[in-house]
Amino acid sequence: MNKKIVLLLLAILFKTIPMSADEGMWLPIFLQKLNEKEMQSMGMKIPASAIYDVNKSSLKDAVVLFGGGCTAEVVSDKGLILTNHHCGFGEIQSHSSLENDYLKNGFWAMKQDEELANPGLSVSFLIRMEDVSAKVLEGVNPSMNEQKRKDLIAKHISKIKKDASEDNKYDAAVRAFYAGNEYYLMVYQVFKDIRLVGAPPSNIGKFGGDTDNWMWPRHTGDFSIFRIYANKDNNPAEYSKDNVPYKPKKFLPISLKGVEKGDFTFVFGFPGTTQEYLPSDAIQMITEVINPVRIDLRQTRLDIFGKYMQQSDQIRIQYAAKDAGIANGWKKWIGENRGIKRLSAITKKKDFEADMNHWIDNQNDSPYKGLTKAFTDNYKPLAYWKKSETWLVEAAYGIEALRFVRSFNSLVELNNKKDTDPAKIEELVKRLISGSKEFFKDYNSTIDQEVMIALLEKYQNASADISYPDILTQISQKYDNNWEKFAEKVFKKSILINEEKLLSVLENYKTSDAKKISRDPLFKLTEEILSHHRTIILPKTRFYEQNIDSLQRVFVRAQMEFTPTKRFYPDANSTLRVAYGKVNDYYPRDGVKYTHFTTLDGIMEKESAEVLDYVVEPRLKELYKSKDYGRYAASDGRIHTAFTATNHTTGGNSGSPVLNADGELIGINFDRNWEGTMSDLMYDPEMCRNISLDIRYCLFIIDKLAGAHHLIEEMCIMD
Ligand code: ARG
Ligand code: GLU
């Protein structure tokens, strides 16, 4: 056989390899058409229409987008919702102080009037979704340049959104799917009075902390409870003490049956971002250029935070949320890089591209000719600019003071503009005052000064390989590379990070103060770095990314044509999706097998009085000793804490309901395993697992530890 035919046969073989049943985050509107049969063959006992239906109530009416980036589910007819502890963390922290340390001790509203309001927090119900590709892409043609295309699409989208919002009754969004080959309209009802109802103490809700984060075996009681409030007509309203608990169209029944290995489960929520259809060049850029910089610089910040957090309770509270956020990305990227390497993902993608190119070459006049080369031509320069940008973002903006001072930019600008309405300035100053108070509540300048020195030193050491802000070169010359001296001076001289001085300026603000602000050493530093980002780096990244966007759109289409038997799911984009799979264990490495569930015994096993992450809540220990488990014990007599399954999930799926074959709530999704975090770029059915809190552990804590029996009674719990 000649080589060409062999390659062709190989290509055909490759094309018919089925994707594993576990991979994918599916659009609820297409479940019936694409997935119902498979879901039922895997064990599901309900029809797809029970999950999503626009005409009658369905499970989708019990799932909400929580805040900006999590999911929550309605579990009572009085608008009670469950999400993760880490999703409610910011709110729990904001109500906490040294006197009322809800982070440490937990919080339970024993009556409705004790529930705490959270300005700024909202939840969104999806009312419906609709394919609007034809309307959005009307008049768009392949020869159009990317900017023209974008403008036309934006015009269509704004009209569609306006029509769908029904005079602002709803929030409408149109999102791109399949890299812009399709567009869907999402119509949401947004509730804005969301109150905190309960949270376990952190040594339950965050048990294992960042030591266990992204890892299995896991014992985190990662849940918190909120309630949706509505006006008297059951419609969304801003916070008011006259608001009443929302009466939902649907709430989830809860099952105490637990899970066995092999059981069907599905996760219903709002996954944020995946990038499954990228070319090898992109995977290379992400894992070999961007991730290492992020990991290194975050490690530096975490080391400094950690040192101070251990020394003082006040700092521990102030820095808890920031630390968790930084650590979360840091650890995920480490896992992602390892997973991509273990999977040989770059080689796999390269092989795929070679096969595809062969297929392309065998066609006369394929529209896909030159695609992979064009990717390389753009990713090569992009990688340099992305590296520069990552350094700037993680090193310069990693300094809290710099991020904070950015907000004064608009004040100076407004002031410098001719005939600005003074009322506008007044308003902005007011906002800056409240923003500043919020910032200083959780700010420690000793920590930040140390962070500044460490990050700027590293930034300078990397400067030869990246586009580096001139201002920093000048400073290093002036201070003879002594960043310590520089930081000391800036922190001493700047009024912008001195709470007292800053507030006194803002509270007696006169237009002449703008000069004072613009001359502040921190302001100048921030300005120059910002301007380097805006005028030097961004135009370059935008240019190459725009080229890549149009290539990617074609590449996705090419992949669909090249592998016509494969079912394609769209990448996650914070829209409502269903992922389904089975409860399953896994082999993380040679000679090691992990079971699919963990128990309270494991919490006792991990206990350590010295390691903060493994301090066990005394009340939990009591319950463990007395074996007072009530109806929440599994058939083996133990409390099961968490379980793993093969549902394909990502960031944003936190707090998502995990449901059984009957559509009953059995868990709350909260994490993935470290060995599987590369699933945002490439999924591996052998290794990728989502991690869920066993709902029985959650109820056990609410009932037995908190004694919040009224909440248990509100829910529909089935034995
Ligand atoms: N890894 C989980 C998620 O991505 C949990 C994060 C909780 N944060 C933490 N630092 N422990 O969001
Ligand atoms: N913890 C993640 C979140 O906050 C979910 C874990 C994941 O990325 O899969 O959404």
Side-chain angles (χ1 to χ4, degrees):
M1 265 192 281
N2 81 28
K3 212 168 139 203
K4 230 176 182 170
I5 296 179
V6 175
L7 281 173
L8 209 68
L9 281 177
L10 275 177
I12 290 167
L13 193 72
F14 188 87
K15 283 164 64 172
T16 48
I17 293 172
M19 189 174 70
S20 88
D22 312 296
E23 180 174 357
M25 321 175 151
W26 304 93
L27 278 172
I29 36 171
F30 297 136
L31 277 188
Q32 195 154 23
K33 196 167 87 192
L34 291 179
N35 313 94
E36 185 180 54
K37 226 168 108 202
E38 184 181 71
M39 291 169 90
Q40 290 177 340
S41 80
M42 289 167 74
M44 186 172 77
K45 296 196 193 103
I46 54 173
S49 61
I51 299 174
Y52 180 92
D53 196 319
V54 264
N55 300 313
K56 50 184 205 306
S57 79
S58 56
L59 293 175
K60 84 141 178 27
D61 299 313
V63 181
V64 292
L65 178 69
F66 180 88
C70 277
T71 306
E73 51 277 5
V74 186
V75 289
S76 91
D77 64 354
K78 287 186 222 142
L80 199 66
I81 53 175
L82 295 177
T83 186
N84 290 143
H85 185 262
H86 78 260
C87 294
F89 200 77
E91 282 75 27
I92 304 166
Q93 189 213 12
S94 78
H95 294 295
S96 294
S97 58
L98 280 174
E99 302 78 54
N100 277 323
D101 193 345
Y102 299 142
L103 272 186
K104 188 163 177 194
N105 306 317
F107 168 78
W108 302 96
M110 287 302 174
K111 296 190 300 255
Q112 261 172 36
D113 62 9
E114 290 170 6
E115 297 175 359
L116 300 173
N118 301 287
L121 178 64
S122 65
V123 303
S124 309
F125 286 90
L126 179 74
I127 302 298
R128 64 187 175 92
M129 64 169 81
E130 184 189 328
D131 183 354
V132 290
S133 309
K135 279 190 226 165
V136 171
L137 295 172
E138 203 185 302
V140 169
N141 62 58
S143 60
M144 242 175 197
N145 79 31
E146 202 57 23
Q147 196 53 49
K148 263 222 170 99
R149 184 182 195 273
K150 272 202 177 130
D151 294 343
L152 186 60
I153 286 175
K155 201 175 108 200
H156 292 159
I157 286 180
S158 97
K159 162 104 175 55
I160 296 170
K161 275 168 61 174
K162 190 154 171 277
D163 294 346
S165 78
E166 298 181 24
D167 288 330
N168 293 325
K169 185 169 157 204
Y170 298 122
D171 259 28
V174 174
R175 308 302 286 267
F177 288 72
Y178 299 112
N181 286 294
E182 294 178 19
Y183 286 84
Y184 290 77
L185 165 70
M186 311 283 154
V187 180
Y188 297 104
Q189 189 177 29
V190 184
F191 286 83
K192 294 182 171 156
D193 184 354
I194 313 299
R195 302 188 199 169
L196 176 64
V197 174
S202 285
N203 54 21
I204 290 175
K206 211 187 164 192
F207 182 79
D210 288 310
T211 314
D212 283 5
N213 189 25
W214 293 114
M215 300 220 288
W216 185 256
R218 189 67 160 280
H219 301 86
T220 314
D222 198 346
F223 75 93
S224 60
I225 312 173
F226 288 79
R227 192 188 300 282
I228 305 170
Y229 279 76
N231 66 17
K232 284 189 215 72
D233 307 320
N234 206 34
N235 282 322
E238 294 293 335
Y239 169 83
S240 153
K241 62 180 189 352
D242 299 328
N243 285 348
V244 292
Y246 167 66
K247 260 192 122 19
K249 287 187 227 155
K250 178 94 187 168
F251 63 92
L252 302 179
I254 300 174
S255 166
L256 293 180
K257 273 188 266 163
V259 293
E260 303 277 350
K261 184 175 166 180
D263 281 356
F264 174 82
T265 67
F266 65 105
V267 175
F268 202 5
F270 290 88
T273 312
T274 60
Q275 301 172 283
E276 312 286 349
Y277 307 107
L278 292 178
S280 55
D281 292 321
I283 308 292
Q284 208 153 5
M285 179 179 84
I286 293 168
T287 59
E288 292 174 9
V289 178
I290 297 177
N291 282 354
V293 176
R294 291 163 153 175
I295 292 166
D296 175 30
L297 289 172
R298 287 193 174 206
Q299 176 81 62
T300 304
R301 272 196 283 169
L302 289 168
D303 287 346
I304 297 171
F305 284 9
K307 189 174 75 187
Y308 286 95
M309 284 170 80
Q310 262 175 22
Q311 288 168 8
S312 135
D313 270 350
Q314 191 190 346
I315 295 178
R316 176 184 54 77
I317 296 173
Q318 286 180 316
Y319 276 71
K322 293 182 224 181
D323 185 76
I326 298 166
N328 198 43
W330 163 78
K331 197 159 177 184
K332 191 199 132 172
W333 295 317
I334 294 175
E336 184 169 87
N337 269 13
R338 289 186 192 160
I340 288 295
K341 196 163 159 213
R342 197 187 42 234
L343 262 186
S344 306
I346 295 170
T347 312
K348 280 201 176 101
K349 291 249 177 192
K350 282 208 160 99
D351 292 348
F352 175 80
E353 285 153 24
D355 289 343
M356 187 166 169
N357 279 337
H358 207 77
W359 166 76
I360 292 169
D361 289 344
N362 274 307
Q363 290 169 324
N364 303 326
D365 212 23
S366 163
Y368 308 126
K369 271 211 163 71
L371 198 51
T372 46
K373 179 167 180 308
F375 269 131
T376 306
D377 290 346
N378 282 283
Y379 271 111
K380 252 214 177 98
L382 180 65
Y384 170 83
W385 292 106
K386 274 289 179 195
K387 185 175 179 177
S388 305
E389 182 171 52
T390 309
W391 269 100
L392 191 142
V393 168
E394 294 286 337
Y397 298 158
I399 303 161
E400 288 177 78
L402 257 67
R403 277 205 312 282
F404 171 62
V405 166
R406 266 195 318 199
S407 55
F408 288 87
N409 214 304
S410 36
L411 180 61
V412 172
E413 264 172 29
L414 209 58
N415 237 321
N416 291 347
K417 242 199 236 150
K418 279 214 180 88
D419 34 79
T420 301
D421 180 3
K424 254 195 178 158
I425 296 187
E426 203 176 308
E427 198 185 299
L428 181 58
V429 170
K430 243 196 224 147
R431 255 187 291 139
L432 285 171
I433 290 176
S434 76
S436 302
K437 284 182 180 159
E438 215 163 284
F439 171 77
F440 286 112
K441 176 173 173 276
D442 292 333
Y443 182 67
N444 180 301
S445 63
T446 311
I447 296 180
D448 202 30
Q449 188 171 333
E450 198 168 321
V451 166
M452 178 190 259
I453 297 164
L455 293 184
L456 291 185
E457 236 163 47
K458 285 203 154 174
Y459 198 5
Q460 189 191 0
N461 290 339
S463 60
D465 298 329
I466 54 176
S467 166
Y468 182 67
D470 283 340
I471 176 87
L472 293 176
T473 310
Q474 290 156 17
I475 293 171
S476 71
Q477 279 161 3
K478 184 165 161 202
Y479 286 82
D480 209 13
N481 294 331
N482 190 338
W483 292 100
E484 214 173 310
K485 214 162 100 202
F486 169 71
E488 202 180 301
K489 185 143 168 222
V490 168
F491 272 77
K492 205 148 112 210
K493 267 183 84 180
S494 171
I495 57 152
L496 295 172
I497 39 158
N498 181 314
E499 182 170 14
E500 217 176 295
K501 283 188 193 155
L502 176 63
L503 285 179
S504 103
V505 170
L506 289 178
E507 273 155 7
N508 310 297
Y509 189 77
K510 338 179 254 324
T511 41
S512 60
D513 288 330
K515 231 185 214 134
K516 205 190 269 167
I517 293 174
S518 61
R519 281 203 195 119
D520 191 277
L522 250 182
F523 185 87
K524 273 200 282 194
L525 175 67
T526 309
E527 271 283 89
E528 298 268 345
I529 292 177
L530 212 74
S531 136
H532 185 82
H533 191 193
R534 269 198 213 132
T535 60
I536 312 247
I537 298 180
L538 270 180
K540 295 290 189 186
T541 54
R542 277 212 196 106
F543 173 78
Y544 294 110
E545 277 171 346
Q546 210 163 61
N547 293 347
I548 285 169
D549 282 350
S550 47
L551 294 172
Q552 184 64 27
R553 200 165 53 239
V554 178
F555 188 46
V556 167
R557 231 182 301 134
Q559 293 179 59
M560 288 174 165
E561 258 177 62
F562 179 51
T563 51
T565 52
K566 185 173 152 179
R567 261 180 329 179
F568 278 78
Y569 59 92
D571 269 320
N573 59 357
S574 297
T575 58
L576 188 60
R577 303 295 178 91
V578 174
Y580 53 94
K582 288 184 174 178
V583 173
N584 206 356
D585 46 30
Y586 72 105
Y587 296 83
R589 53 188 180 273
D590 190 35
V592 182
K593 179 183 176 170
Y594 285 155
T595 56
H596 67 275
F597 69 95
T598 56
T599 68
L600 195 47
D601 306 62
I603 294 184
M604 301 314 301
E605 212 174 83
K606 278 182 181 170
E607 180 183 21
S608 159
E610 290 84 53
V611 182
L612 198 63
D613 286 341
Y614 293 137
V615 173
V616 177
E617 170 64 28
R619 287 170 287 170
L620 186 60
K621 258 203 277 200
E622 284 306 312
L623 290 167
Y624 176 73
K625 270 197 212 129
S626 63
K627 297 281 174 287
D628 183 9
Y629 297 163
R631 55 180 170 153
Y632 308 112
S635 53
D636 61 6
R638 298 188 287 175
I639 289 286
H640 287 204
T641 41
F643 62 90
T644 49
T646 61
N647 303 294
H648 187 183
T649 52
T650 187
N653 269 124
S654 273
S656 300
V658 184
L659 301 124
N660 65 13
D662 295 305
E664 300 157 344
L665 187 68
I666 51 170
I668 306 175
N669 187 76
F670 71 94
D671 213 356
R672 266 177 293 163
N673 61 335
W674 217 13
E675 301 82 3
T677 43
M678 72 297 183
S679 66
D680 291 347
L681 302 173
M682 189 183 273
Y683 185 89
D684 174 13
E686 296 298 317
M687 219 42 116
C688 294
R689 300 289 178 267
N690 68 310
I691 300 177
S692 308
L693 172 69
D694 192 307
I695 200 68
R696 294 169 299 179
Y697 181 46
C698 166
L699 297 174
F700 165 74
I701 300 290
I702 298 173
D703 190 345
K704 296 287 181 177
L705 189 126
H709 308 294
H710 63 294
L711 298 178
I712 298 285
E713 269 149 37
E714 247 190 270
M715 302 181 214
C716 167
I717 301 174
M718 302 185 308
D719 286 305

